[in-house]
Structure formats: structure tokens, C-alpha cells
């Protein structure tokens, strides 16, 4: 391709066939640039989605930890209430 371009630069008259080739190459270049830009846009969207997913995971992990701690407190309180009730029952039956 470089050789063909160099040869065209040296010509004073460019044949129709060569002009068609140049137009074709220019159109291909435009299409390639559009594809590159679309790929960059998609990459930016993917990066944004990934970062948002990371934030969501961190938030969910924090929520999970808080729920687990709350559940452990509830279980501890229930165990204490059960023990108190058992002690009262034992005291009432004696």
C-alpha cells in the first residue's frame, strides 16, 4: 500500500482507476476510525459498569456485615430470653 501511494505521489496525472482506489482507501479509513471510536465508547461504558459493580459489591458486603451483626445480636438476645424463661419455669416448679 505504501508503495502504491508513493507511486501515486510521483504522478502528474492520476488515472481513474487509481482515483477509485484512493477513494476506496479513504472510505475504509473512515470506517476504521468509526469502528475505533465505537470500540472506545464501548470500552468506556464497560469500565463505568465495572466500577459501578465494584461499588455495588462493596455496598452489599457492608450491608451483609451489618445484617449479620444485627442477626447475631438478635440471636444472643433470644438465647438470653430463653434462658431467663427457663430459669423462671424452673423456679416456679420448685
Amino acid at each position: 500500500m505504501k508503495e502504491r501511494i508513493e507511486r501515486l505521489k510521483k504522478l502528474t496525472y492520476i488515472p481513474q482507476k487509481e482515483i477509485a482506489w484512493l477513494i476506496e482507501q479513504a472510505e475504509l479509513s473512515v470506517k476504521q476510525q468509526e469502528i475505533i471510536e465505537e470500540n472506545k465508547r464501548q470500552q468506556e461504558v464497560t469500565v463505568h459498569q465495572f466500577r459501578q459493580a465494584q461499588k455495588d459489591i462493596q455496598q452489599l458486603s457492608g450491608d451483609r456485615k451489618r445484617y449479620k451483626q444485627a442477626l447475631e445480636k438478635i440471636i444472643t438476645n433470644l438465647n438470653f430470653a430463653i434462658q431467663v424463661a427457663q430459669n423462671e419455669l424452673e423456679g416456679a416448679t420448685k
Side-chain angles (χ1 to χ4, degrees):
M1 184 168 162
K2 284 184 180 181
E3 295 148 359
R4 193 169 186 179
I5 291 170
E6 290 303 318
R7 187 172 58 85
L8 287 171
K9 286 180 182 178
K10 294 176 186 173
L11 296 176
T12 55
Y13 164 77
I14 301 176
Q16 190 66 31
K17 179 180 173 185
E18 298 299 334
I19 290 176
W21 180 81
L22 285 172
I23 291 170
E24 181 182 309
Q25 294 304 308
E27 289 171 345
L28 284 174
S29 177
V30 168
K31 287 179 184 176
Q32 287 174 341
Q33 188 61 38
E34 289 171 353
I35 290 169
I36 290 168
E37 288 172 8
E38 178 61 19
N39 287 343
K40 283 181 182 178
R41 188 191 68 76
Q42 289 178 2
Q43 185 178 24
E44 289 170 1
V45 168
T46 301
V47 167
H48 175 72
Q49 289 173 336
F50 179 76
R51 287 186 179 147
Q52 186 61 46
Q54 280 182 320
K55 287 179 185 176
D56 292 346
I57 289 168
Q58 288 174 347
Q59 182 179 352
L60 290 171
S61 294
D63 290 348
R64 180 180 174 267
K65 185 176 180 179
R66 285 190 296 280
Y67 292 142
K68 183 179 178 185
Q69 290 171 345
L71 185 59
E72 287 171 351
K73 285 181 183 178
I74 291 170
I75 290 170
T76 300
N77 290 339
L78 286 173
N79 285 333
F80 178 75
I82 290 169
Q83 188 63 44
V84 168
Q86 285 176 343
N87 291 341
E88 287 179 6
L89 281 173
E90 287 175 9
T93 57
K94 288 184 180 181

